[in-house]
Amino acid sequence: MNRKSPVVPKELLLPFILITSLFALWGFANDITNPMVAAFKRVLELNNTQASWVQLAFYGGYFTMALPAAFFIKKYSYKTGVLLGLGLYALGALLFYPAASWESYGFFLAALYILTFGLAFLETTANPYILSMGPEATATQRLNLAQAFNPMGALAGLFVAKTFILNSLQSNNLDENGNLIYDTLDAASKAVVRTNDLLVIRDPYVMLGLVVLGILVVIALAKMPENKDSHGKINFGPTMKRLLKNRNFVEGTLAQMFYVGAQIMVWTYIYQYAESIGISTYDAVNYAYASLGVFLVGRWICTALLRIISPPKLLASFSILAMIFTLGAIFLEGMSGLYSLVGISFAMSLMFPTIYGIALEGLGEDSKFAAAYLVMAIVGGAIMPTLQGMILDLGGKGYTDTQILGVPEVNFSFFLPFACFLMVWLFSVRVRKG
């Protein structure tokens, strides 16, 4: 069946391309922000838990706005939802300007929170829209294909973070002995560096906001099928009763929460892991690049494999692979552990769109609200990194202050992603057994 059905029908190719471009757009936002945990920690002299609030604000915005986005899209249209999402995205990015002027960490967090209101609208809209653009038999393949463009945007975000932010932060400068100069400065000198560095962090986000406004104009002028309900009626109660009776949806939402938590932990704390073995934050971006590279390769490979292997079976296999790589990151210290940490991204490549597709399969019009709950599940990316930051703070602000089970606390903290991958594996096994 899958071999005969087109992944994307020719008549829907243009709408597919336009909506797929949004996947790269939020990938950019995700991965320009991940290195900011380490950047804000140093510039503002925060502990690991406080620095992790960057991810709490960023992914907390998804949780807050996903369900309102679903109501909005149900009442109006996909295109209207996309335009509002782009507007909120741009607003949050542009708010980095006053946040830097005030030198307020809370203001930066608020800007990220609003920015992800927009991302919640975009993801709530784009994922089910992509699933609807063709036969249900190829829906999971179609979403994997669209999601393959997400890491392309993420790579661009990392490039900007490394080239225009991390490379320009004065707080990262080292003396001839390899020690941070910023730690030795008096309060007045630190204030000068802090002002400079916050402006460095500000500028790419402001430029991003202007670019997003430009994209908003392009999509506003484009003609696209709306997939609008005939009367815009909202029957939330009956929809929720049907969804709660659907085991794949309920368990898929929980699996998605654990998966996203694992992904954000792996991609956020690769910088701290690298620093613990003597690699600077700036150079650690190269390993983040490698992670996204193997993630992208994995997406394309999995899109092909899904033509011959069922989604639950492939998900189970990749979950086991992810757990193996995570154990390597925990117990193999030094570069071997870092390489294992990079390898996790290959195993993760299949997970988000496949869990998403399984959870929404056969839901029909209920998929609009179901998609909102799957976007809300991204809150795992807000909660889990904060818990990992608390583990890193057990011995102090450093990453190797104490040993737990014979390994530094930064290594031990990756038991959290391991537990998350275990939950994804259990979901895949249950789905295979029906």
Side-chain angles (χ1 to χ4, degrees):
M1 180 72 176
N2 283 18
R3 295 182 181 180
K4 296 180 181 179
S5 300
V7 176
V8 183
K10 290 182 180 179
E11 65 273 17
L12 295 174
L13 187 58
L14 180 58
F16 178 82
I17 291 171
L18 290 173
I19 297 302
T20 296
S21 69
L22 301 178
F23 287 73
L25 197 60
W26 70 66
F28 185 97
N30 290 340
D31 280 84
I32 193 177
T33 301
N34 286 337
M36 294 307 100
V37 174
F40 276 120
K41 179 191 175 186
R42 184 155 294 159
V43 174
L44 299 176
E45 299 181 284
L46 309 171
N47 62 32
N48 292 297
T49 303
Q50 291 169 330
S52 73
W53 293 348
V54 167
Q55 302 294 38
L56 184 64
F58 192 90
Y59 292 97
Y62 278 102
F63 181 79
T64 304
M65 193 53 63
L67 195 56
F71 277 103
F72 184 88
I73 295 162
K74 180 81 173 177
K75 184 173 178 60
Y76 297 101
S77 68
Y78 280 124
K79 183 175 180 178
T80 307
V82 167
L83 294 177
L84 180 56
L86 289 170
L88 290 168
Y89 186 163
L91 175 61
L94 293 173
L95 283 174
F96 267 61
Y97 194 95
S101 299
W102 287 23
E103 298 190 2
S104 167
Y105 185 46
F107 205 149
F108 278 111
L109 295 179
L112 285 170
Y113 189 55
I114 292 170
L115 186 155
T116 51
F117 285 178
L119 299 189
F121 264 89
L122 295 181
E123 293 211 35
T124 302
T125 303
N127 285 297
Y129 200 10
I130 289 294
L131 288 173
S132 72
M133 289 183 181
E136 186 170 310
T138 56
T140 300
Q141 285 177 255
R142 195 159 44 253
L143 189 56
N144 269 276
L145 177 59
Q147 287 275 357
F149 290 86
N150 177 267
M152 293 181 183
L155 285 167
L158 267 182
F159 174 79
V160 170
K162 179 179 181 180
T163 306
F164 298 104
I165 299 179
L166 298 178
N167 192 37
S168 302
L169 293 177
Q170 294 181 11
S171 56
N172 281 338
N173 292 341
L174 304 176
D175 62 22
E176 58 185 13
N177 297 318
N179 299 314
L180 284 169
I181 297 174
Y182 187 64
D183 291 342
T184 66
L185 299 178
D186 58 38
S189 299
K190 281 186 175 181
V192 173
V193 172
R194 182 168 56 250
T195 298
N196 171 82
D197 284 3
L198 291 178
L199 294 179
V200 168
I201 291 171
R202 175 200 71 185
D203 291 345
Y205 280 91
V206 172
M207 288 299 299
L208 174 61
L210 296 175
V211 169
V212 171
L213 285 177
I215 294 172
L216 185 155
V217 172
V218 171
I219 293 181
L221 297 175
K223 291 184 178 180
M224 296 180 62
E226 294 288 358
N227 276 43
K228 184 177 178 181
D229 295 337
S230 56
H231 301 291
K233 292 181 179 179
I234 299 174
N235 298 309
F236 182 67
T239 298
M240 282 310 303
K241 288 180 180 179
R242 290 192 296 270
L243 289 178
L244 290 174
K245 290 179 181 179
N246 188 301
R247 190 173 179 183
N248 280 3
F249 164 73
V250 174
E251 294 181 4
T253 302
L254 292 173
Q256 198 73 290
M257 183 185 72
F258 284 110
Y259 162 68
V260 174
Q263 176 189 292
I264 303 309
M265 285 187 285
V266 169
W267 287 356
T268 297
Y269 290 106
I270 191 171
Y271 299 95
Q272 288 79 351
Y273 194 103
E275 188 174 332
S276 75
I277 58 176
I279 299 171
S280 69
T281 301
Y282 176 78
D283 291 329
V285 175
N286 294 324
Y287 296 94
Y289 271 132
S291 296
L292 283 174
V294 299
F295 187 82
L296 178 59
V297 170
R299 275 274 165 89
W300 289 108
I301 290 174
C302 289
T303 299
L305 289 176
L306 283 168
R307 299 184 74 87
I308 56 176
I309 303 174
S310 71
K313 185 175 181 180
L314 201 58
L315 181 61
S317 299
F318 273 62
S319 299
I320 292 171
L321 185 61
M323 287 188 282
I324 292 171
F325 277 128
T326 307
L327 289 174
I330 295 169
F331 292 109
L332 298 176
E333 297 184 43
M335 292 304 299
S336 296
L338 184 56
Y339 292 145
S340 291
L341 188 53
V342 170
I344 296 172
S345 292
F346 178 82
M348 291 194 301
S349 62
L350 172 80
M351 294 183 183
F352 185 94
T354 303
I355 296 170
Y356 200 101
I358 293 171
L360 292 189
E361 186 174 359
L363 293 182
E365 193 58 35
D366 289 345
S367 65
K368 291 185 178 180
F369 281 119
Y373 281 97
L374 285 163
V375 172
M376 289 175 71
I378 291 174
V379 74
I383 298 170
M384 300 297 182
T386 300
L387 294 177
Q388 191 168 6
M390 294 170 68
I391 293 174
L392 289 176
D393 281 334
L394 288 176
K397 287 187 177 182
Y399 309 128
T400 58
D401 300 309
T402 187
Q403 297 260 322
I404 305 174
L405 295 182
V407 296
E409 72 260 45
V410 66
N411 294 57
F412 176 81
S413 70
F414 281 91
F415 269 113
L416 280 177
F418 178 86
C420 291
F421 292 131
L422 177 61
M423 297 303 293
V424 173
W425 177 77
L426 290 172
F427 168 69
S428 67
V429 170
R430 208 282 305 158
V431 172
R432 285 185 66 191
K433 292 181 178 178

